[in-house]
Amino acid sequence: MRLPLRASLLMVCTLLSLAGTAQVARTRMVVLMGARFDFTIVAADSLSAERYIDTCIAEVSRIEFLISDWKPASQVSQVNQQAGIAPVKVDREVLELTERAIRISEQTGGAFDISFAAMEKIWKYDGSMTQMPTEEAVMKAVSKVGYRNIVVDRERSTIFLKLPGMKIGFGALGEGYATDRCRDMMISRGIKAGIVNGSGDMSTWGRQPDGSHWTVGISDPFERGDLYAVLPLRTSAVVTSGSYEKYIELNGKRYSHIINPATGYPATGLMSVTVFGPSAELANAFSTSIMVMGKEAGFKLLRQYPDYRCIMVSDDKKFYTSRGVHLKRYRVKT
C-alpha cells in the first residue's frame, strides 16, 4: 500500500464537549486512496458523529473505486488500459473531474497536468532509485505527457487518451475532491462543523464546539517536525504541496516528487506552497501548479482567483505571502 508523504499540515485544535452545549466532536483516522484520511465531525452526540464519519468513509471509498489508477477495475485504470486504442465510457462524475483538470492545465500552461502519470516509472521515491534516469528515458516518458491528448466526449460520456502508453492519474487532486465531497455531503445533512483531511488536502466547515475557529499549523520546511506558524482557518480549504518530505537524493542533490510535466524533471525554486480557499480540489491544483511555475507566475495566477490566498517558501528559505495572509502575526518561531 502506498502512503504518500505529501501532508505538511498539522491540525491544531481542541475537541471539546462543553457543559451546557449539545455538541461533541469525534475523530477517526483511516487509510483510503493510498493515503491517510482524518475525519472530525461535530454532532449532537458521539453515536451520531461516528455514524457520519462512517458515511464520509463510504463516500471516499466510492470515489476511490472510480478514479484510483492503481486499482485495475477502476474507470480511470480502464481509460489508461485503452490508451491509443479506444474511448472508455465513464460516469459523469469522472468526466467532469477530468474536464476541470484540463481547464486548470490550460490556465497554467501545462504546469498542472493529470497525464504526468506517465512519469511514474521514471522517478521512484520508495528508496529503490540509486542513479539518475537517462535523458532518453525522461524524454520518452515526456512524449506521453500532454493534456491536449486527452479527448473528452460529453455526449457519449467517454474519455480517450490519444497516445499508446499515456496515463492519467488524479492523485492528490482526487483526495482534494473527496474531502470537498464529504464536506458538502455533511453540510447537506445539517452537520454544522467538521474537518476532512486527506493527506494534507483539508476541507473544513463551521467552528470547534467552543465556538473558536479551527486552526492549522504550517510546518517549518527547514526544521522537520516543527511548526512555523499557527493560523485560524477562516476559509473552507487548505492544501500544501512541498518538496521537503518526499524526495530522493542523488549525487548530493535533492530531487522533489513534484515533476515539471514539460521537462520531466523535478520542479525547483520553491520548497513549499500552501493555498487557502473555498475548494480543496482547486487549492490542490494551484499548489501543485505554483511549485512548477514559480513565485511570480504563481502570484499572477492567483490574482485571477481572489478567493484564494497562498504562502510560498523558496529554496533559499524565504517566505512569501499573497494579499490577506498575515503570517507574521501567527508565527510560533522567531
Side-chain angles (χ1 to χ4, degrees):
M1 181 175 294
R2 64 190 186 99
L3 292 169
L5 300 177
R6 285 190 68 260
S8 56
L9 298 173
L10 303 175
M11 285 308 300
V12 183
C13 57
T14 306
L15 304 179
L16 301 173
S17 176
L18 300 179
T21 71
Q23 291 187 316
V24 297
R26 288 293 178 266
T27 298
R28 194 187 313 170
M29 187 278 287
V30 296
V31 175
L32 296 164
M33 303 178 77
R36 171 174 170 161
F37 271 73
D38 294 274
F39 300 91
T40 297
I41 296 294
V42 178
D45 56 77
S46 297
L47 181 60
S48 295
E50 293 291 349
R51 286 176 175 170
Y52 282 119
I53 290 175
D54 289 339
T55 301
C56 288
I57 291 172
E59 176 65 3
V60 177
S61 297
R62 183 191 68 80
I63 294 169
E64 179 176 11
F65 278 93
L66 287 177
I67 68 171
S68 293
D69 56 292
W70 64 89
K71 290 184 177 296
S74 77
Q75 293 186 7
V76 166
S77 289
Q78 293 170 33
V79 169
N80 293 339
Q81 292 161 16
Q82 293 298 309
I85 301 171
V88 173
K89 190 174 180 61
V90 298
D91 288 1
R92 180 63 58 173
E93 182 177 10
V94 177
L95 190 89
E96 292 177 350
L97 181 59
T98 303
E99 287 182 321
R100 294 196 298 273
I102 291 173
R103 282 197 294 272
I104 292 297
S105 296
E106 293 170 345
Q107 293 166 354
T108 61
F112 177 85
D113 194 325
I114 58 171
S115 68
F116 83 98
M119 300 296 308
E120 290 179 347
K121 294 182 180 179
I122 304 301
W123 299 92
K124 296 181 174 64
Y125 298 89
D126 58 2
S128 64
M129 196 167 182
T130 58
Q131 60 184 10
M132 288 286 290
T134 65
E135 185 175 349
E136 291 77 14
V138 172
M139 291 301 100
K140 182 178 180 181
V142 167
S143 71
K144 306 296 184 184
V145 176
Y147 66 92
R148 293 183 180 88
N149 291 315
I150 305 171
V151 180
V152 175
D153 187 327
R154 287 188 64 83
E155 184 176 341
R156 294 180 173 83
S157 194
T158 62
I159 299 173
F160 177 54
L161 307 182
K162 289 183 180 180
L163 305 178
M166 273 191 77
K167 289 181 63 178
I168 58 173
F170 290 100
L173 184 77
E175 294 162 15
Y177 169 66
T179 66
D180 285 345
R181 279 282 305 165
C182 289
R183 177 198 62 207
D184 295 346
M185 179 183 293
M186 291 297 99
I187 291 173
S188 72
R189 284 165 168 73
I191 300 302
K192 303 296 185 183
I195 308 166
V196 182
N197 182 358
S199 189
D201 286 23
M202 192 181 303
S203 292
T204 75
W205 68 103
R207 297 193 180 194
Q208 297 187 57
D210 65 355
S212 62
H213 287 288
W214 301 112
T215 56
V216 61
I218 305 299
S219 294
D220 186 337
F222 307 107
E223 297 292 338
R224 190 175 183 86
D226 287 354
L227 292 179
Y228 181 84
V230 176
L231 287 76
L233 193 54
R234 295 187 174 93
T235 55
S236 57
V238 58
V239 174
T240 289
S241 293
S243 64
Y244 56 93
E245 287 191 332
K246 188 175 181 181
Y247 60 88
I248 54 174
E249 289 187 351
L250 299 172
N251 302 321
K253 185 176 180 180
R254 185 166 67 175
Y255 295 89
S256 122
H257 73 290
I258 298 176
I259 306 298
N260 184 333
T263 66
Y265 286 91
T268 59
L270 293 174
M271 183 164 278
S272 76
V273 176
T274 299
V275 177
F276 304 84
S279 163
E281 177 190 330
L282 194 52
N284 177 280
F286 287 152
S287 65
T288 303
S289 301
I290 293 171
M291 284 289 295
V292 174
M293 300 169 73
K295 177 171 69 75
E296 296 304 326
F299 280 135
K300 183 178 179 180
L301 172 68
L302 285 191
R303 282 195 289 271
Q304 302 174 52
Y305 295 86
D307 290 337
Y308 290 80
R309 305 284 186 269
C310 76
I311 300 169
M312 303 184 199
V313 186
S314 63
D315 288 344
D316 58 1
K317 301 187 178 184
K318 293 180 180 178
F319 286 72
Y320 302 92
T321 61
S322 61
R323 178 177 54 84
V325 179
H326 306 289
L327 187 61
K328 291 182 179 179
R329 183 186 304 173
Y330 301 104
R331 285 182 62 173
V332 295
K333 295 183 68 176
T334 57

